[in-house]
PDB file of all heavy atoms in Angstrom:
ATOM      1  N   THR P  74      30.038 311.939 -76.981  1.00  0.00           N
ATOM      2  CA  THR P  74      28.665 311.459 -76.866  1.00  0.00           C
ATOM      3  C   THR P  74      28.387 310.958 -75.460  1.00  0.00           C
ATOM      4  O   THR P  74      27.331 311.251 -74.884  1.00  0.00           O
ATOM      5  CB  THR P  74      28.407 310.338 -77.895  1.00  0.00           C
ATOM      6  OG1 THR P  74      28.751 310.824 -79.197  1.00  0.00           O
ATOM      7  CG2 THR P  74      26.966 309.894 -77.895  1.00  0.00           C
ATOM      8  N   ASP P  75      29.323 310.215 -74.881  1.00  0.00           N
ATOM      9  CA  ASP P  75      29.140 309.711 -73.515  1.00  0.00           C
ATOM     10  C   ASP P  75      28.932 310.851 -72.524  1.00  0.00           C
ATOM     11  O   ASP P  75      28.077 310.768 -71.642  1.00  0.00           O
ATOM     12  CB  ASP P  75      30.346 308.875 -73.073  1.00  0.00           C
ATOM     13  CG  ASP P  75      30.398 307.520 -73.758  1.00  0.00           C
ATOM     14  OD1 ASP P  75      29.370 307.081 -74.315  1.00  0.00           O
ATOM     15  OD2 ASP P  75      31.477 306.899 -73.738  1.00  0.00           O
ATOM     16  N   GLU P  76      29.724 311.910 -72.659  1.00  0.00           N
ATOM     17  CA  GLU P  76      29.586 313.055 -71.742  1.00  0.00           C
ATOM     18  C   GLU P  76      28.252 313.765 -71.957  1.00  0.00           C
ATOM     19  O   GLU P  76      27.588 314.145 -70.990  1.00  0.00           O
ATOM     20  CB  GLU P  76      30.747 314.029 -71.942  1.00  0.00           C
ATOM     21  CG  GLU P  76      32.070 313.488 -71.455  1.00  0.00           C
ATOM     22  CD  GLU P  76      33.256 314.340 -71.884  1.00  0.00           C
ATOM     23  OE1 GLU P  76      33.241 314.923 -72.987  1.00  0.00           O
ATOM     24  OE2 GLU P  76      34.220 314.407 -71.097  1.00  0.00           O
ATOM     25  N   PHE P  77      27.838 313.944 -73.212  1.00  0.00           N
ATOM     26  CA  PHE P  77      26.552 314.598 -73.470  1.00  0.00           C
ATOM     27  C   PHE P  77      25.410 313.807 -72.844  1.00  0.00           C
ATOM     28  O   PHE P  77      24.518 314.381 -72.221  1.00  0.00           O
ATOM     29  CB  PHE P  77      26.302 314.764 -74.972  1.00  0.00           C
ATOM     30  CG  PHE P  77      27.312 315.623 -75.680  1.00  0.00           C
ATOM     31  CD1 PHE P  77      27.753 315.275 -76.946  1.00  0.00           C
ATOM     32  CD2 PHE P  77      27.820 316.771 -75.107  1.00  0.00           C
ATOM     33  CE1 PHE P  77      28.677 316.051 -77.621  1.00  0.00           C
ATOM     34  CE2 PHE P  77      28.754 317.562 -75.767  1.00  0.00           C
ATOM     35  CZ  PHE P  77      29.178 317.196 -77.025  1.00  0.00           C
ATOM     36  N   LEU P  78      25.434 312.506 -73.000  1.00  0.00           N
ATOM     37  CA  LEU P  78      24.379 311.667 -72.432  1.00  0.00           C
ATOM     38  C   LEU P  78      24.431 311.665 -70.912  1.00  0.00           C
ATOM     39  O   LEU P  78      23.389 311.670 -70.248  1.00  0.00           O
ATOM     40  CB  LEU P  78      24.486 310.241 -72.977  1.00  0.00           C
ATOM     41  CG  LEU P  78      24.192 310.097 -74.470  1.00  0.00           C
ATOM     42  CD1 LEU P  78      24.469 308.665 -74.932  1.00  0.00           C
ATOM     43  CD2 LEU P  78      22.777 310.516 -74.807  1.00  0.00           C
ATOM     44  N   GLN P  79      25.627 311.674 -70.341  1.00  0.00           N
ATOM     45  CA  GLN P  79      25.776 311.678 -68.894  1.00  0.00           C
ATOM     46  C   GLN P  79      25.287 312.988 -68.278  1.00  0.00           C
ATOM     47  O   GLN P  79      24.630 312.984 -67.240  1.00  0.00           O
ATOM     48  CB  GLN P  79      27.243 311.461 -68.518  1.00  0.00           C
ATOM     49  CG  GLN P  79      27.501 311.483 -67.029  1.00  0.00           C
ATOM     50  CD  GLN P  79      28.975 311.348 -66.684  1.00  0.00           C
ATOM     51  OE1 GLN P  79      29.827 311.178 -67.539  1.00  0.00           O
ATOM     52  NE2 GLN P  79      29.281 311.446 -65.406  1.00  0.00           N
ATOM     53  N   PHE P  80      25.599 314.108 -68.910  1.00  0.00           N
ATOM     54  CA  PHE P  80      25.323 315.407 -68.300  1.00  0.00           C
ATOM     55  C   PHE P  80      24.018 316.052 -68.741  1.00  0.00           C
ATOM     56  O   PHE P  80      23.581 317.023 -68.141  1.00  0.00           O
ATOM     57  CB  PHE P  80      26.487 316.370 -68.562  1.00  0.00           C
ATOM     58  CG  PHE P  80      27.795 315.901 -67.983  1.00  0.00           C
ATOM     59  CD1 PHE P  80      28.943 315.925 -68.743  1.00  0.00           C
ATOM     60  CD2 PHE P  80      27.875 315.423 -66.690  1.00  0.00           C
ATOM     61  CE1 PHE P  80      30.161 315.490 -68.223  1.00  0.00           C
ATOM     62  CE2 PHE P  80      29.078 314.978 -66.150  1.00  0.00           C
ATOM     63  CZ  PHE P  80      30.222 315.017 -66.927  1.00  0.00           C
ATOM     64  N   SER P  81      23.389 315.550 -69.797  1.00  0.00           N
ATOM     65  CA  SER P  81      22.141 316.148 -70.262  1.00  0.00           C
ATOM     66  C   SER P  81      20.966 315.661 -69.437  1.00  0.00           C
ATOM     67  O   SER P  81      20.890 314.492 -69.076  1.00  0.00           O
ATOM     68  CB  SER P  81      21.889 315.809 -71.733  1.00  0.00           C
ATOM     69  OG  SER P  81      20.641 316.342 -72.128  1.00  0.00           O
ATOM     70  N   MET P  82      20.054 316.557 -69.149  1.00  0.00           N
ATOM     71  CA  MET P  82      18.813 316.191 -68.484  1.00  0.00           C
ATOM     72  C   MET P  82      17.644 316.270 -69.458  1.00  0.00           C
ATOM     73  O   MET P  82      16.492 316.124 -69.076  1.00  0.00           O
ATOM     74  CB  MET P  82      18.560 317.114 -67.282  1.00  0.00           C
ATOM     75  CG  MET P  82      19.629 317.015 -66.220  1.00  0.00           C
ATOM     76  SD  MET P  82      19.810 315.325 -65.618  1.00  0.00           S
ATOM     77  CE  MET P  82      21.519 315.318 -65.149  1.00  0.00           C
ATOM     78  N   VAL P  83      17.933 316.506 -70.727  1.00  0.00           N
ATOM     79  CA  VAL P  83      16.924 316.481 -71.781  1.00  0.00           C
ATOM     80  C   VAL P  83      16.794 315.024 -72.211  1.00  0.00           C
ATOM     81  O   VAL P  83      17.783 314.397 -72.585  1.00  0.00           O
ATOM     82  CB  VAL P  83      17.340 317.380 -72.975  1.00  0.00           C
ATOM     83  CG1 VAL P  83      16.413 317.190 -74.154  1.00  0.00           C
ATOM     84  CG2 VAL P  83      17.382 318.841 -72.548  1.00  0.00           C
ATOM     85  N   GLU P  84      15.587 314.493 -72.115  1.00  0.00           N
ATOM     86  CA  GLU P  84      15.377 313.077 -72.404  1.00  0.00           C
ATOM     87  C   GLU P  84      15.053 312.853 -73.874  1.00  0.00           C
ATOM     88  O   GLU P  84      14.377 313.663 -74.498  1.00  0.00           O
ATOM     89  CB  GLU P  84      14.252 312.532 -71.529  1.00  0.00           C
ATOM     90  CG  GLU P  84      14.602 312.577 -70.051  1.00  0.00           C
ATOM     91  CD  GLU P  84      13.488 312.092 -69.162  1.00  0.00           C
ATOM     92  OE1 GLU P  84      12.457 311.612 -69.683  1.00  0.00           O
ATOM     93  OE2 GLU P  84      13.649 312.203 -67.938  1.00  0.00           O
ATOM     94  N   GLN P  85      15.540 311.737 -74.407  1.00  0.00           N
ATOM     95  CA  GLN P  85      15.302 311.366 -75.790  1.00  0.00           C
ATOM     96  C   GLN P  85      14.453 310.107 -75.864  1.00  0.00           C
ATOM     97  O   GLN P  85      14.456 309.296 -74.942  1.00  0.00           O
ATOM     98  CB  GLN P  85      16.622 311.045 -76.494  1.00  0.00           C
ATOM     99  CG  GLN P  85      17.549 312.181 -76.686  1.00  0.00           C
ATOM    100  CD  GLN P  85      18.814 311.681 -77.383  1.00  0.00           C
ATOM    101  OE1 GLN P  85      19.616 311.004 -76.774  1.00  0.00           O
ATOM    102  NE2 GLN P  85      18.964 312.016 -78.641  1.00  0.00           N
ATOM    103  N   SER P  86      13.766 309.957 -76.991  1.00  0.00           N
ATOM    104  CA  SER P  86      13.020 308.736 -77.249  1.00  0.00           C
ATOM    105  C   SER P  86      12.982 308.515 -78.747  1.00  0.00           C
ATOM    106  O   SER P  86      12.507 309.373 -79.495  1.00  0.00           O
ATOM    107  CB  SER P  86      11.599 308.850 -76.705  1.00  0.00           C
ATOM    108  OG  SER P  86      10.795 307.808 -77.212  1.00  0.00           O
ATOM    109  N   ALA P  87      13.473 307.369 -79.178  1.00  0.00           N
ATOM    110  CA  ALA P  87      13.410 307.048 -80.603  1.00  0.00           C
ATOM    111  C   ALA P  87      11.961 306.929 -81.061  1.00  0.00           C
ATOM    112  O   ALA P  87      11.629 307.269 -82.194  1.00  0.00           O
ATOM    113  CB  ALA P  87      14.160 305.744 -80.874  1.00  0.00           C
ATOM    114  N   ALA P  88      11.074 306.491 -80.177  1.00  0.00           N
ATOM    115  CA  ALA P  88       9.662 306.361 -80.519  1.00  0.00           C
ATOM    116  C   ALA P  88       8.953 307.719 -80.562  1.00  0.00           C
ATOM    117  O   ALA P  88       7.865 307.827 -81.125  1.00  0.00           O
ATOM    118  CB  ALA P  88       8.970 305.447 -79.513  1.00  0.00           C
ATOM    119  N   GLY P  89       9.598 308.751 -80.002  1.00  0.00           N
ATOM    120  CA  GLY P  89       8.982 310.076 -79.941  1.00  0.00           C
ATOM    121  C   GLY P  89       8.607 310.643 -81.301  1.00  0.00           C
ATOM    122  O   GLY P  89       7.682 311.453 -81.410  1.00  0.00           O
ATOM    123  N   LYS P  90       9.276 310.209 -82.337  1.00  0.00           N
ATOM    124  CA  LYS P  90       8.985 310.740 -83.672  1.00  0.00           C
ATOM    125  C   LYS P  90       7.598 310.340 -84.165  1.00  0.00           C
ATOM    126  O   LYS P  90       7.078 310.920 -85.105  1.00  0.00           O
ATOM    127  CB  LYS P  90      10.054 310.303 -84.665  1.00  0.00           C
ATOM    128  CG  LYS P  90      10.146 308.828 -84.921  1.00  0.00           C
ATOM    129  CD  LYS P  90      11.317 308.531 -85.828  1.00  0.00           C
ATOM    130  CE  LYS P  90      11.646 307.054 -85.842  1.00  0.00           C
ATOM    131  NZ  LYS P  90      12.977 306.827 -86.392  1.00  0.00           N
ATOM    132  N   TYR P  91       6.966 309.345 -83.508  1.00  0.00           N
ATOM    133  CA  TYR P  91       5.632 308.910 -83.904  1.00  0.00           C
ATOM    134  C   TYR P  91       4.528 309.610 -83.117  1.00  0.00           C
ATOM    135  O   TYR P  91       3.353 309.367 -83.366  1.00  0.00           O
ATOM    136  CB  TYR P  91       5.513 307.389 -83.762  1.00  0.00           C
ATOM    137  CG  TYR P  91       6.493 306.670 -84.665  1.00  0.00           C
ATOM    138  CD1 TYR P  91       7.608 306.025 -84.135  1.00  0.00           C
ATOM    139  CD2 TYR P  91       6.330 306.684 -86.049  1.00  0.00           C
ATOM    140  CE1 TYR P  91       8.526 305.387 -84.960  1.00  0.00           C
ATOM    141  CE2 TYR P  91       7.245 306.058 -86.874  1.00  0.00           C
ATOM    142  CZ  TYR P  91       8.340 305.408 -86.326  1.00  0.00           C
ATOM    143  OH  TYR P  91       9.239 304.785 -87.147  1.00  0.00           O
ATOM    144  N   ALA P  92       4.909 310.472 -82.184  1.00  0.00           N
ATOM    145  CA  ALA P  92       3.914 311.210 -81.398  1.00  0.00           C
ATOM    146  C   ALA P  92       3.227 312.255 -82.278  1.00  0.00           C
ATOM    147  O   ALA P  92       3.731 312.643 -83.338  1.00  0.00           O
ATOM    148  CB  ALA P  92       4.590 311.889 -80.207  1.00  0.00           C
ATOM    149  N   GLN P  93       2.065 312.691 -81.852  1.00  0.00           N
ATOM    150  CA  GLN P  93       1.357 313.761 -82.551  1.00  0.00           C
ATOM    151  C   GLN P  93       2.250 314.992 -82.637  1.00  0.00           C
ATOM    152  O   GLN P  93       3.058 315.248 -81.734  1.00  0.00           O
ATOM    153  CB  GLN P  93       0.066 314.119 -81.792  1.00  0.00           C
ATOM    154  CG  GLN P  93      -0.963 313.009 -81.761  1.00  0.00           C
ATOM    155  CD  GLN P  93      -1.540 312.741 -83.151  1.00  0.00           C
ATOM    156  OE1 GLN P  93      -1.870 313.655 -83.897  1.00  0.00           O
ATOM    157  NE2 GLN P  93      -1.645 311.473 -83.491  1.00  0.00           N
ATOM    158  N   GLY P  94       2.104 315.767 -83.691  1.00  0.00           N
ATOM    159  CA  GLY P  94       2.942 316.946 -83.895  1.00  0.00           C
ATOM    160  C   GLY P  94       2.929 317.899 -82.726  1.00  0.00           C
ATOM    161  O   GLY P  94       3.982 318.370 -82.278  1.00  0.00           O
ATOM    162  N   GLN P  95       1.724 318.190 -82.196  1.00  0.00           N
ATOM    163  CA  GLN P  95       1.640 319.142 -81.077  1.00  0.00           C
ATOM    164  C   GLN P  95       2.321 318.578 -79.835  1.00  0.00           C
ATOM    165  O   GLN P  95       2.880 319.327 -79.035  1.00  0.00           O
ATOM    166  CB  GLN P  95       0.191 319.564 -80.799  1.00  0.00           C
ATOM    167  CG  GLN P  95      -0.718 318.491 -80.256  1.00  0.00           C
ATOM    168  CD  GLN P  95      -1.438 317.693 -81.343  1.00  0.00           C
ATOM    169  OE1 GLN P  95      -1.037 317.681 -82.504  1.00  0.00           O
ATOM    170  NE2 GLN P  95      -2.512 317.018 -80.951  1.00  0.00           N
ATOM    171  N   ASP P  96       2.301 317.258 -79.668  1.00  0.00           N
ATOM    172  CA  ASP P  96       2.971 316.646 -78.517  1.00  0.00           C
ATOM    173  C   ASP P  96       4.495 316.739 -78.677  1.00  0.00           C
ATOM    174  O   ASP P  96       5.217 316.946 -77.700  1.00  0.00           O
ATOM    175  CB  ASP P  96       2.550 315.189 -78.351  1.00  0.00           C
ATOM    176  CG  ASP P  96       1.079 315.058 -77.978  1.00  0.00           C
ATOM    177  OD1 ASP P  96       0.511 316.025 -77.422  1.00  0.00           O
ATOM    178  OD2 ASP P  96       0.498 313.992 -78.259  1.00  0.00           O
ATOM    179  N   GLN P  97       4.984 316.570 -79.900  1.00  0.00           N
ATOM    180  CA  GLN P  97       6.424 316.715 -80.136  1.00  0.00           C
ATOM    181  C   GLN P  97       6.857 318.154 -79.856  1.00  0.00           C
ATOM    182  O   GLN P  97       7.888 318.389 -79.218  1.00  0.00           O
ATOM    183  CB  GLN P  97       6.781 316.322 -81.570  1.00  0.00           C
ATOM    184  CG  GLN P  97       6.679 314.832 -81.820  1.00  0.00           C
ATOM    185  CD  GLN P  97       7.226 314.440 -83.173  1.00  0.00           C
ATOM    186  OE1 GLN P  97       8.358 314.784 -83.498  1.00  0.00           O
ATOM    187  NE2 GLN P  97       6.425 313.720 -83.953  1.00  0.00           N
ATOM    188  N   LEU P  98       6.057 319.116 -80.320  1.00  0.00           N
ATOM    189  CA  LEU P  98       6.383 320.523 -80.064  1.00  0.00           C
ATOM    190  C   LEU P  98       6.351 320.808 -78.572  1.00  0.00           C
ATOM    191  O   LEU P  98       7.264 321.460 -78.045  1.00  0.00           O
ATOM    192  CB  LEU P  98       5.417 321.448 -80.809  1.00  0.00           C
ATOM    193  CG  LEU P  98       5.574 322.944 -80.516  1.00  0.00           C
ATOM    194  CD1 LEU P  98       6.991 323.440 -80.823  1.00  0.00           C
ATOM    195  CD2 LEU P  98       4.533 323.752 -81.291  1.00  0.00           C
ATOM    196  N   PHE P  99       5.334 320.322 -77.869  1.00  0.00           N
ATOM    197  CA  PHE P  99       5.260 320.582 -76.433  1.00  0.00           C
ATOM    198  C   PHE P  99       6.435 319.933 -75.710  1.00  0.00           C
ATOM    199  O   PHE P  99       6.953 320.479 -74.745  1.00  0.00           O
ATOM    200  CB  PHE P  99       3.921 320.111 -75.854  1.00  0.00           C
ATOM    201  CG  PHE P  99       3.689 320.592 -74.456  1.00  0.00           C
ATOM    202  CD1 PHE P  99       3.782 321.942 -74.132  1.00  0.00           C
ATOM    203  CD2 PHE P  99       3.399 319.703 -73.436  1.00  0.00           C
ATOM    204  CE1 PHE P  99       3.591 322.400 -72.837  1.00  0.00           C
ATOM    205  CE2 PHE P  99       3.199 320.139 -72.142  1.00  0.00           C
ATOM    206  CZ  PHE P  99       3.294 321.487 -71.840  1.00  0.00           C
ATOM    207  N   GLY P 100       6.893 318.791 -76.203  1.00  0.00           N
ATOM    208  CA  GLY P 100       8.090 318.169 -75.636  1.00  0.00           C
ATOM    209  C   GLY P 100       9.303 319.073 -75.786  1.00  0.00           C
ATOM    210  O   GLY P 100      10.116 319.203 -74.856  1.00  0.00           O
TER     211      GLY P 100
END
């Protein structure tokens, strides 16, 4: 997990699940 987080450039957000559906898809 540490390596995935260190090397990934894909950003995560726990709050992202509350975004509009089309915004989640565009993300």
Side-chain angles (χ1 to χ4, degrees):
T74 306
D75 287 343
E76 290 169 326
F77 298 141
L78 293 174
Q79 179 183 357
F80 299 133
S81 177
M82 298 303 151
V83 171
E84 296 178 6
Q85 293 179 287
S86 167
K90 64 185 166 196
Y91 298 108
Q93 295 292 316
Q95 68 270 19
D96 294 336
Q97 289 188 53
L98 174 57
F99 191 53

